[in-house]
PDB file of all heavy atoms in Angstrom:
ATOM      1  N   ASP A 712      88.631 216.217 375.961  1.00  0.00           N
ATOM      2  CA  ASP A 712      89.941 215.680 375.580  1.00  0.00           C
ATOM      3  C   ASP A 712      89.936 214.156 375.739  1.00  0.00           C
ATOM      4  O   ASP A 712      89.175 213.606 376.542  1.00  0.00           O
ATOM      5  CB  ASP A 712      91.000 216.315 376.485  1.00  0.00           C
ATOM      6  CG  ASP A 712      92.402 215.885 376.118  1.00  0.00           C
ATOM      7  OD1 ASP A 712      92.710 215.823 374.912  1.00  0.00           O
ATOM      8  OD2 ASP A 712      93.192 215.602 377.042  1.00  0.00           O
ATOM      9  N   ILE A 713      90.777 213.496 374.988  1.00  0.00           N
ATOM     10  CA  ILE A 713      90.822 212.024 375.065  1.00  0.00           C
ATOM     11  C   ILE A 713      91.935 211.546 375.991  1.00  0.00           C
ATOM     12  O   ILE A 713      91.679 210.831 376.962  1.00  0.00           O
ATOM     13  CB  ILE A 713      90.983 211.419 373.650  1.00  0.00           C
ATOM     14  CG1 ILE A 713      89.696 211.662 372.845  1.00  0.00           C
ATOM     15  CG2 ILE A 713      91.276 209.912 373.750  1.00  0.00           C
ATOM     16  CD1 ILE A 713      89.705 211.083 371.459  1.00  0.00           C
ATOM     17  N   ASP A 714      93.185 211.934 375.701  1.00  0.00           N
ATOM     18  CA  ASP A 714      94.308 211.362 376.456  1.00  0.00           C
ATOM     19  C   ASP A 714      94.422 211.966 377.843  1.00  0.00           C
ATOM     20  O   ASP A 714      94.594 213.171 377.998  1.00  0.00           O
ATOM     21  CB  ASP A 714      95.620 211.557 375.674  1.00  0.00           C
ATOM     22  CG  ASP A 714      95.767 210.493 374.616  1.00  0.00           C
ATOM     23  OD1 ASP A 714      96.046 209.338 374.979  1.00  0.00           O
ATOM     24  OD2 ASP A 714      95.547 210.808 373.428  1.00  0.00           O
ATOM     25  N   GLY A 715      94.331 211.108 378.842  1.00  0.00           N
ATOM     26  CA  GLY A 715      94.406 211.565 380.227  1.00  0.00           C
ATOM     27  C   GLY A 715      93.059 211.923 380.806  1.00  0.00           C
ATOM     28  O   GLY A 715      92.942 212.172 382.008  1.00  0.00           O
ATOM     29  N   VAL A 716      92.006 211.977 379.932  1.00  0.00           N
ATOM     30  CA  VAL A 716      90.650 212.278 380.396  1.00  0.00           C
ATOM     31  C   VAL A 716      89.733 211.068 380.161  1.00  0.00           C
ATOM     32  O   VAL A 716      89.088 210.579 381.086  1.00  0.00           O
ATOM     33  CB  VAL A 716      90.075 213.534 379.698  1.00  0.00           C
ATOM     34  CG1 VAL A 716      88.616 213.764 380.093  1.00  0.00           C
ATOM     35  CG2 VAL A 716      90.915 214.756 380.032  1.00  0.00           C
ATOM     36  N   ILE A 717      89.691 210.602 378.901  1.00  0.00           N
ATOM     37  CA  ILE A 717      88.840 209.445 378.582  1.00  0.00           C
ATOM     38  C   ILE A 717      89.640 208.142 378.696  1.00  0.00           C
ATOM     39  O   ILE A 717      89.206 207.179 379.311  1.00  0.00           O
ATOM     40  CB  ILE A 717      88.240 209.590 377.168  1.00  0.00           C
ATOM     41  CG1 ILE A 717      87.228 210.745 377.172  1.00  0.00           C
ATOM     42  CG2 ILE A 717      87.574 208.285 376.724  1.00  0.00           C
ATOM     43  CD1 ILE A 717      86.602 211.013 375.819  1.00  0.00           C
ATOM     44  N   PHE A 718      90.806 208.152 378.075  1.00  0.00           N
ATOM     45  CA  PHE A 718      91.694 206.983 378.124  1.00  0.00           C
ATOM     46  C   PHE A 718      93.011 207.375 378.810  1.00  0.00           C
ATOM     47  O   PHE A 718      93.403 208.560 378.782  1.00  0.00           O
ATOM     48  CB  PHE A 718      92.015 206.483 376.706  1.00  0.00           C
ATOM     49  CG  PHE A 718      90.824 205.969 375.943  1.00  0.00           C
ATOM     50  CD1 PHE A 718      90.607 206.365 374.628  1.00  0.00           C
ATOM     51  CD2 PHE A 718      89.930 205.065 376.517  1.00  0.00           C
ATOM     52  CE1 PHE A 718      89.519 205.893 373.907  1.00  0.00           C
ATOM     53  CE2 PHE A 718      88.837 204.584 375.800  1.00  0.00           C
ATOM     54  CZ  PHE A 718      88.633 205.002 374.493  1.00  0.00           C
ATOM     55  N   HIS A 720      96.642 208.409 379.444  1.00  0.00           N
ATOM     56  CA  HIS A 720      97.456 209.246 378.575  1.00  0.00           C
ATOM     57  C   HIS A 720      98.457 208.434 377.753  1.00  0.00           C
ATOM     58  O   HIS A 720      99.270 207.693 378.310  1.00  0.00           O
ATOM     59  CB  HIS A 720      98.195 210.287 379.437  1.00  0.00           C
ATOM     60  CG  HIS A 720      98.904 211.316 378.633  1.00  0.00           C
ATOM     61  ND1 HIS A 720     100.264 211.301 378.446  1.00  0.00           N
ATOM     62  CD2 HIS A 720      98.442 212.380 377.947  1.00  0.00           C
ATOM     63  CE1 HIS A 720     100.606 212.336 377.692  1.00  0.00           C
ATOM     64  NE2 HIS A 720      99.513 213.007 377.385  1.00  0.00           N
ATOM     65  N   CYS A 754      88.333 215.801 371.410  1.00  0.00           N
ATOM     66  CA  CYS A 754      89.506 216.556 370.978  1.00  0.00           C
ATOM     67  C   CYS A 754      90.764 215.777 371.325  1.00  0.00           C
ATOM     68  O   CYS A 754      90.874 215.235 372.425  1.00  0.00           O
ATOM     69  CB  CYS A 754      89.574 217.903 371.705  1.00  0.00           C
ATOM     70  SG  CYS A 754      88.065 218.865 371.621  1.00  0.00           S
ATOM     71  N   THR A 755      91.706 215.760 370.401  1.00  0.00           N
ATOM     72  CA  THR A 755      92.952 215.059 370.689  1.00  0.00           C
ATOM     73  C   THR A 755      94.080 215.577 369.794  1.00  0.00           C
ATOM     74  O   THR A 755      93.832 216.048 368.686  1.00  0.00           O
ATOM     75  CB  THR A 755      92.801 213.532 370.490  1.00  0.00           C
ATOM     76  OG1 THR A 755      94.024 212.899 370.827  1.00  0.00           O
ATOM     77  CG2 THR A 755      92.409 213.174 369.073  1.00  0.00           C
ATOM     78  N   ALA A 756      95.279 215.456 370.305  1.00  0.00           N
ATOM     79  CA  ALA A 756      96.462 215.791 369.502  1.00  0.00           C
ATOM     80  C   ALA A 756      96.957 214.566 368.714  1.00  0.00           C
ATOM     81  O   ALA A 756      97.900 214.669 367.950  1.00  0.00           O
ATOM     82  CB  ALA A 756      97.574 216.314 370.411  1.00  0.00           C
ATOM     83  N   THR A 785      99.206 220.036 371.327  1.00  0.00           N
ATOM     84  CA  THR A 785      99.270 219.350 372.616  1.00  0.00           C
ATOM     85  C   THR A 785      99.190 220.339 373.781  1.00  0.00           C
ATOM     86  O   THR A 785      99.061 219.932 374.918  1.00  0.00           O
ATOM     87  CB  THR A 785     100.588 218.550 372.748  1.00  0.00           C
ATOM     88  OG1 THR A 785     101.669 219.463 372.554  1.00  0.00           O
ATOM     89  CG2 THR A 785     100.651 217.424 371.752  1.00  0.00           C
ATOM     90  N   ARG A 788      94.099 224.582 375.430  1.00  0.00           N
ATOM     91  CA  ARG A 788      92.863 224.739 374.651  1.00  0.00           C
ATOM     92  C   ARG A 788      92.085 225.911 375.231  1.00  0.00           C
ATOM     93  O   ARG A 788      91.951 226.038 376.440  1.00  0.00           O
ATOM     94  CB  ARG A 788      92.035 223.452 374.722  1.00  0.00           C
ATOM     95  CG  ARG A 788      92.874 222.191 374.416  1.00  0.00           C
ATOM     96  CD  ARG A 788      92.379 221.386 373.268  1.00  0.00           C
ATOM     97  NE  ARG A 788      93.438 220.497 372.803  1.00  0.00           N
ATOM     98  CZ  ARG A 788      93.530 219.200 373.109  1.00  0.00           C
ATOM     99  NH1 ARG A 788      92.607 218.638 373.845  1.00  0.00           N
ATOM    100  NH2 ARG A 788      94.536 218.486 372.643  1.00  0.00           N
ATOM    101  N   ARG A 809      95.683 214.543 385.296  1.00  0.00           N
ATOM    102  CA  ARG A 809      95.861 213.522 384.258  1.00  0.00           C
ATOM    103  C   ARG A 809      95.561 212.120 384.796  1.00  0.00           C
ATOM    104  O   ARG A 809      96.031 211.738 385.860  1.00  0.00           O
ATOM    105  CB  ARG A 809      97.290 213.576 383.707  1.00  0.00           C
ATOM    106  CG  ARG A 809      97.567 212.525 382.659  1.00  0.00           C
ATOM    107  CD  ARG A 809      98.901 212.748 381.986  1.00  0.00           C
ATOM    108  NE  ARG A 809      98.817 213.875 381.062  1.00  0.00           N
ATOM    109  CZ  ARG A 809      99.874 214.437 380.466  1.00  0.00           C
ATOM    110  NH1 ARG A 809     101.090 213.991 380.717  1.00  0.00           N
ATOM    111  NH2 ARG A 809      99.714 215.446 379.650  1.00  0.00           N
TER     112      ARG A 809
HETATM  113 MG1   MG B 136      95.061 215.171 377.334  1.00  0.00          MG
END
Side-chain angles (χ1 to χ4, degrees):
D712 183 42
I713 292 182
D714 279 287
V716 175
I717 291 178
F718 296 133
H720 188 257
C754 308
T755 182
T785 56
R788 311 238 162 100
R809 178 171 286 170

